[in-house]
């Protein structure tokens, strides 16, 4: 079963994360930073630059997907169980690194550990991204 580890993805090095008021809708930046190993602020700036160049918002699905394609990651249909139902994040494979869309959220599962600011393992995964160069670490 996938474990949970609370993490801000490196945001704490640049911005306060001490109080509830410090939380922000940066799930795309956090997930990509975790999944790729690229520093939080580098991902943050890259998403903003890509969004500005295309007239999108930084956390728009179009921006996220364009950035991940630039990095060489591949998008996959949702993982399903033997009955054809989408599997919950807690049941994702324990090897590999996945950036998984859920409802209005994206998170990272890294070798059996979901790293995020809150535990969303009970949610069903929708489509997911994986680095074809490193499908299973």
């Amino acid at each position: 079963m996938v474990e949970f580890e609370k993490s801000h993805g490196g945001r704490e090095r640049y911005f306060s994360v001490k109080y509830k008021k410090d939380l922000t809708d940066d799930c795309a930046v956090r997930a990509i930073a975790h999944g790729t190993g690229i520093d939080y602020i580098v991902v943050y700036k890259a998403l903003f630059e890509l969004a500005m160049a295309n007239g999108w918002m930084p956390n728009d699905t179009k921006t996220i997907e364009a950035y991940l394609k630039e990095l060489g990651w591949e998008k996959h249909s949702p993982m399903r169980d033997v009955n054809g139902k989408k599997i919950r994040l807690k049941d994702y494979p324990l090897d590999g690194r996945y950036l998984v869309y859920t409802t209005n959220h994206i998170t990272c599962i890294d070798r059996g550990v979901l790293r995020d600011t809150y535990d969303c393992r009970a949610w069903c995964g929708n489509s997911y991204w994986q680095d074809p160069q490193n499908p299973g670490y």
Side-chain angles (χ1 to χ4, degrees), residues 8-11 13-15 25-52 57-60 63-71 73 97 99 101 106-108:
H8 294 277
R11 180 179 178 80
R13 290 193 293 266
Y14 304 99
F15 308 103
D25 295 330
D26 68 337
C27 64
V29 180
R30 284 193 318 266
I32 294 169
H34 281 305
T36 64
I38 299 171
D39 188 70
Y40 179 95
I41 205 72
V42 173
V43 174
Y44 180 88
K45 289 178 180 179
L47 289 176
F48 268 85
E49 289 169 7
L50 186 59
M52 288 289 291
M57 297 302 291
N59 60 346
D60 189 301
T63 306
I64 297 164
E65 293 188 356
Y67 185 60
L68 290 172
K69 283 179 186 174
E70 280 182 17
L71 297 177
W73 284 56
R97 223 175 248 178
L99 298 178
Y101 284 116
I106 185 169
T107 191
C108 176

Side-chain angles (χ1 to χ4, degrees), residues 54-137:
N54 292 289
W56 303 329
M57 297 302 291
N59 60 346
D60 189 301
T61 302
K62 292 179 282 196
T63 306
I64 297 164
E65 293 188 356
Y67 185 60
L68 290 172
K69 283 179 186 174
E70 280 182 17
L71 297 177
W73 284 56
E74 294 179 349
K75 187 175 182 180
H76 301 277
S77 297
M79 288 190 192
R80 297 183 183 272
D81 64 16
V82 295
N83 297 317
K85 290 187 169 189
K86 293 178 190 175
I87 65 170
R88 298 193 181 278
L89 299 182
K90 66 184 176 86
D91 298 321
Y92 259 65
L94 301 180
D95 62 338
R97 223 175 248 178
Y98 310 94
L99 298 178
V100 187
Y101 284 116
T102 62
T103 304
N104 300 317
H105 187 58
I106 185 169
T107 191
C108 176
I109 298 175
D110 179 9
R111 291 168 277 196
V113 179
L114 186 142
R115 292 187 169 89
D116 208 333
T117 55
Y118 57 93
D119 189 354
C120 55
R121 290 177 293 173
W123 297 6
C124 288
N126 292 322
S127 57
Y128 68 96
W129 289 81
Q130 197 168 23
D131 182 352
Q133 303 301 317
N134 298 296
Y137 291 84

